[in-house]
Amino acid sequence: MSLAAETRRAVDRRPFLRTALRAGVVNYTAAARSLAVDGETDAIATALRRYADELPAHETDSRDVRVRMESGIGPLEGATDDADALVTVGGQAFGPVGSDRTAIVAAGDVDAVALATVLARLTVEELSPTAAGVAGDAMVIVVERREGANALRAVEDALERVGGRPE
């Protein structure tokens, strides 16, 4: 495998680096040092520059969504009817049960890319969702009650800058 191909493969295993290359915000030499690619740092940096030139520019768009917060969310234990469930992940349903969690519900132009953007933003804010999912035109993120207001602001902000649709 050529050095260029090996460098591209290493970048593609690090989505954040690929996004940074597309956005044009990479120190190529520092990035070259961080990759597990055999070769001279300068040659790897050159391969990174060339790869960046070939990638489409990083673009974002604002999604048309309505975001709301719903308190008193928790696991629906032994629920035989999931009609009240806001989100179900791996067989565990979450819905209104007067519990200690809050759901952030976004309705409208949402998809897996929007969910990934939201989860990345929540990570930056050091907020850790209990559950999250997207289907149809709804996205639900469940967080601890005390994190609800901060999570709501983070979700709204993230949905203003969602990366472009998958290529």
Side-chain angles (χ1 to χ4, degrees):
M1 179 181 306
S2 71
L3 178 68
E6 192 174 341
T7 300
R8 289 168 194 251
R9 178 179 277 172
V11 168
D12 291 342
R13 282 182 285 205
R14 294 180 170 187
F16 73 91
L17 182 54
R18 191 170 194 276
T19 298
L21 284 173
R22 289 179 63 196
V25 295
V26 173
N27 175 323
Y28 296 108
T29 302
R33 287 187 196 119
S34 76
L35 295 176
V37 175
D38 290 329
E40 298 277 329
T41 301
D42 288 342
I44 297 167
T46 298
L48 285 171
R49 276 187 203 91
R50 289 180 181 153
Y51 190 31
D53 289 343
E54 295 171 11
L55 292 171
H58 180 70
E59 296 177 4
T60 62
D61 63 346
S62 177
R63 297 297 179 92
D64 182 20
V65 294
R66 292 173 316 284
V67 181
R68 66 182 172 82
M69 187 166 57
E70 188 171 326
S71 297
I73 303 303
L76 297 173
E77 301 296 334
T80 57
D81 179 14
D82 288 343
D84 290 333
L86 290 173
V87 65
T88 302
V89 179
Q92 177 63 68
F94 290 86
V97 293
S99 191
D100 61 348
R101 293 184 182 98
T102 296
I104 309 302
V105 181
D109 185 16
V110 294
D111 56 15
V113 174
L115 178 60
T117 301
V118 164
L119 292 175
R121 177 59 190 270
L122 291 172
T123 298
V124 168
E125 297 291 331
E126 297 182 359
L127 300 171
S128 181
T130 302
V134 63
D137 65 351
M139 176 171 47
V140 178
I141 295 94
V142 179
V143 297
E144 295 296 323
R145 178 175 290 182
R146 70 184 186 289
E147 297 176 341
N150 291 333
L152 176 72
R153 285 188 290 274
V155 168
E156 288 174 332
D157 188 61
L159 291 172
E160 287 292 320
R161 294 171 201 62
V162 176
R165 308 279 181 187
E167 301 161 20

